[in-house]
Amino acid sequence: MPETPPTEPAGTRDPAAGSGADLTITPGLLRGWALPDPGGDKYAKGRVLIVGGGVQTPGAVLLAAEAALRVGAGQLQMATVRSTAPLLSTAVPEAYVEGLPEERDGDISPDAAARVLELAASADAVLLGPGIMAPDAARALLERVVPHLECSVVLDALGMAYLTAHRDGVRHLEGRVLLTPNARELAETLGEEHDDPADDVLRAMAGRLAAQSRAVVLGGAATSFVVTPDGEVWRNESGAPGMAASGAGDAKAGAIAGLLARGAGPAQAAAWGAFIHGRAGERLTAAIGRVGFLARELVRELPTALAEIEV
């Protein structure tokens, strides 16, 4: 395998990344690893498709969708259960919203797979998983979708349930796939204990999952790690205690999908997305306090956090 991931040409990564030592993500590191130029019309900025949500959880898709736009994606599509699609269409007038068939419990039906694949055929990046409530529902849908995808893909939240049953199920997407599990999801995907593991344990678990799946993994807790299949590691320490709340992970996954749609490679999108997401939390902590801010407020801070680096 080449040292540089296939979608990240030589010269786009920090040259120290192959040294074997973890790199701490800083504004300086990111400035030397510049994102693709977002100039041009909306088509040049990429199309992102977000698939997820349910009757009880339309907000997860909403947060991810807004985050994708806030980091510069040019076009947005959401695919969610038919009963909540009109609400999301009104909440995000910038997006195309597809209503999908749903199960009796309110999750997306596996019968929606064909339509999801039709939408994905014109997408630059697809985010799968936010807001799906049942692991079995996520697995049944993704078993019909993931093997047929050819674009950049993010598996988030219960989208990880697909990998629990199919550890090698994204290998055909190597160089185009990113996994964003939290600490619990990371451990459950590997079938390991998840009782508040230490940073070094989380780093090791992320490395095992990356090697087994041949995907870039962004995993961890207060400190998170971006790990490539070949063992390169970036450490992210940005963030704030108040970010450990509902919806924050959906916002982060959406931002990462938006960066992928813009043309970033998986490791680059993960490093930038994790850092600016954490920086958004730091900004809210300074303005509001250590706790009490909402995930929707994180989303609104993303453009400023991004601009602080891209000066």
Side-chain angles (χ1 to χ4, degrees), residues 215-232:
V216 172
V217 175
L218 169 59
T223 298
S224 58
F225 301 90
V226 179
V227 187
T228 72
D230 296 323
E232 295 169 333

Side-chain angles (χ1 to χ4, degrees), residues 19-180:
S19 66
D22 294 4
L23 289 178
T24 298
I25 302 171
T26 65
L29 183 147
L30 296 177
R31 288 186 188 111
W33 194 6
L35 290 169
D37 186 352
D41 62 18
K42 65 182 180 181
Y43 303 103
K45 295 177 182 177
R47 175 180 293 174
V48 60
L49 169 65
I50 298 173
V51 182
V55 172
Q56 297 91 351
T57 52
V61 177
L62 175 63
L63 290 166
E66 290 190 349
L69 289 177
R70 294 285 187 176
V71 300
Q75 293 181 284
L76 171 66
Q77 296 180 326
M78 293 184 279
T80 191
V81 292
R82 189 168 290 142
S83 58
T84 65
L87 300 175
L88 288 176
S89 182
T90 301
V92 190
E94 299 87 353
Y96 170 87
V97 183
E98 179 80 15
L100 300 173
E102 59 194 73
E103 300 283 78
R104 292 178 62 184
D105 62 3
D107 272 318
I108 299 171
S109 168
D111 294 338
R115 181 56 182 150
V116 170
L117 287 170
E118 288 177 359
L119 294 170
S122 61
D124 296 289
V126 176
L127 168 58
L128 300 167
I132 298 178
M133 293 295 291
D136 288 346
R139 186 162 47 247
L141 175 65
L142 269 57
E143 283 175 345
R144 300 189 190 185
V145 170
V146 174
H148 307 289
L149 292 174
E150 298 180 354
C151 58
S152 294
V153 175
V154 182
L155 290 186
D156 181 60
L158 283 189
M160 295 295 299
Y162 169 72
L163 280 183
T164 304
H166 306 280
R167 192 66 51 79
D168 62 351
V170 293
R171 281 178 171 259
H172 67 292
L173 292 167
E174 184 171 356
R176 291 171 289 156
V177 62
L178 173 59
L179 313 178
T180 57

